[in-house]
Amino acid sequence: MSCTPEHTISMSRLTGQPRVWPDEGYTRAPYWAYTDPDLYIQEQSRIFRGPVWNYVGLEVEVPEPGHYKTTFIGDTPVVLTRAQDGSLHALVNRCAHRGNLVCREPFGSAKRLTCVYHAWSFTLEGDLSHAAFSQGLRGEGGLPKDFDKTQHGLRKLRVETLCGLVFATFSEEVESLESWLGEVATGIRRVLTRPLKVLGYDTQRIHANWKTYHENPRDSYHANILHTFYGTFGLSRMSQESGMVLDQAGRHVYFYTKAGTEKKSADYDKTASDLRSHNDQLTLEDPSILAWKDEIGDGVSVQILNTCPSFVLHQIANSLATRQLIPRGVDQSDLVWTYFGFADDDEKMTRLRLTQVNLVGSAGMVSVEDAAVCEMMQRAFADGEEGASFIEMGGKTLESGGSSKLSERAIRNFWHNYRHYMGL
Ligand code: FES
Ligand SMILES: [Fe+2]
């Protein structure tokens, strides 16, 4: 069998046979999808460099002309720049000469982007402006007479922004960012209401395939079960008013909960009494970490938003952050957290947002459990040869489960789209 561009064939390295997706379709995710190194390579071109918009940073991270930020889209190094006219550009950070990294610092400021190897330099828009010794010396060496500078710039990606978030795509075909986000853009607009201010960063190495983490913020079912702090201290419980919103194509999702809206019900009490995460005996000596000011005024204490394939925006109490998922091989991923507030926050609000990083930052008492679960999953299915996730909470279709948080609807939709992108 041959592998055509339209169809991916995943071969088992153990049996030498083509792998087949389970008959149940998107209600199953075979464990080999998280462990197959060949599939990982295909994901890079079909998804990350395919028809999707990838988050690359915040506009405020490159505030002035000449500022740049380096990052990744999948395995590909990318540099986000702000040109002299204020426009934003996303370029593949790979020299057009012999492939060296052009920008090496996380952030910088420059008039030109100059490669350290042979000093080819590029404009902030990515065009080649100068190649060292291109005319040769004393009549010898130099580049051929037909060398055309316009053909040797950095690879340029499409860039679009929404509410201060910057996304880029390799695809010429994919629709505009707004239309690609669909209804889920509402969740971005709800949170990002004014100019932002970065408060800090951390990057967390997760020893698991990127898809274990991508599924996690789409998984509203686990939130009040795995996370002791949510249930026990009432930040988010299944008994509270909540909902889930997907875009039409099911690529993106956000879910939300309103604290303090508990509705008594016998079936909740029956389950909650068995939950490790709901323990009425626990109290905090210093409850300041749980303080919450309803700054948006709609009562939503938690909103977690996920766009395919690698972006999360969270508002959890007053903590605001983006999380960018960068795959680092088939069984490792980096999660880059950018904590932020608004430019007009007073010191008290900034302190509150930073305090809550201890709850929902990468090492926070809630979020630390997400990476831990991803790593435990990877350990459990590392052989990759048999078995599959069972994804039927809320029903078996892309619509079933509706807007209920007690549903794996958003995960079914992810696998549906994944199979489409991958031709599996
Ligand atoms: S590799 Fe960049 S100038 Fe040679
Ligand atoms: Fe979680």
Side-chain angles (χ1 to χ4, degrees), residues 86-259:
S87 57
L88 290 168
H89 302 268
L91 312 165
V92 173
N93 187 11
R94 181 186 301 140
C95 184
H97 178 216
R98 296 222 329 255
N100 187 32
L101 272 184
V102 179
C103 299
R104 293 164 294 146
E105 306 296 331
F107 294 94
S109 175
K111 287 202 167 64
R112 294 264 183 277
L113 309 177
T114 302
C115 176
V116 72
Y117 204 173
H118 314 89
W120 284 31
S121 71
F122 302 88
T123 67
L124 294 160
E125 290 90 347
D127 298 316
L128 178 62
S129 64
H130 181 75
F133 298 112
S134 60
Q135 306 298 320
L137 209 54
R138 293 183 285 276
E140 290 188 315
L143 290 165
K145 288 216 165 15
D146 63 355
F147 179 75
D148 178 359
K149 272 204 306 198
T150 65
Q151 299 303 306
H152 297 275
L154 302 179
R155 167 118 193 232
K156 299 174 184 181
L157 311 186
R158 282 170 68 201
V159 180
E160 290 189 24
T161 63
L162 180 68
C163 301
L165 306 174
V166 187
F167 288 80
T169 180
F170 284 78
S171 168
E172 290 303 324
E173 283 79 45
V174 71
E175 61 211 286
S176 71
L177 175 64
E178 282 259 13
S179 130
W180 186 74
L181 289 170
E183 294 83 337
V184 167
T186 316
I188 294 175
R189 286 210 181 81
R190 179 188 158 270
V191 174
L192 305 182
T193 51
R194 49 197 201 277
L196 308 181
K197 175 174 69 178
V198 173
L199 301 180
Y201 296 95
D202 57 52
T203 296
Q204 161 182 35
R205 173 62 54 96
I206 300 174
H207 297 272
N209 182 266
W210 67 273
K211 297 187 291 299
T212 63
Y213 190 83
H214 180 75
E215 288 177 297
N216 180 276
R218 302 176 81 87
D219 175 2
S220 46
Y221 177 29
H222 88 278
N224 309 118
I225 299 174
L226 174 68
H227 300 305
T228 307
F229 260 73
Y230 276 161
T232 296
F233 300 112
L235 254 181
S236 173
R237 285 181 183 160
M238 288 300 181
S239 53
Q240 295 167 343
E241 190 184 329
S242 63
M244 179 195 291
V245 176
L246 274 79
D247 68 305
Q248 192 103 36
R251 289 177 290 219
H252 325 299
V253 61
Y254 70 88
F255 60 86
Y256 62 89
T257 302
K258 297 187 176 187

Side-chain angles (χ1 to χ4, degrees), residues 1-18:
M1 268 183 165
S2 67
C3 181
T4 69
E6 292 74 38
H7 196 69
T8 300
I9 303 290
S10 175
M11 303 293 284
S12 164
R13 291 191 176 195
L14 194 67
T15 64
Q17 297 299 312

Side-chain angles (χ1 to χ4, degrees), residues 23 39 112 184 197 217 290 320 336 353 381 386 416:
D23 290 342
L39 210 56
R112 294 264 183 277
V184 167
K197 175 174 69 178
L290 298 172
L320 302 173
V336 182
R353 296 196 205 282
F381 51 51
E386 43 177 65
H416 171 65

Side-chain angles (χ1 to χ4, degrees), residues 58 60-61 196-202 318-322 337-357:
L58 300 173
V60 71
E61 292 179 291
L196 308 181
K197 175 174 69 178
V198 173
L199 301 180
Y201 296 95
D202 57 52
N318 298 102
S319 166
L320 302 173
T322 59
W337 298 67
T338 304
Y339 306 102
F340 63 88
F342 297 108
D344 59 4
D345 282 347
D346 60 18
E347 207 189 313
K348 202 167 150 215
M349 180 52 87
T350 299
R351 203 171 317 120
L352 181 59
R353 296 196 205 282
L354 286 172
T355 300
Q356 289 171 353
V357 170

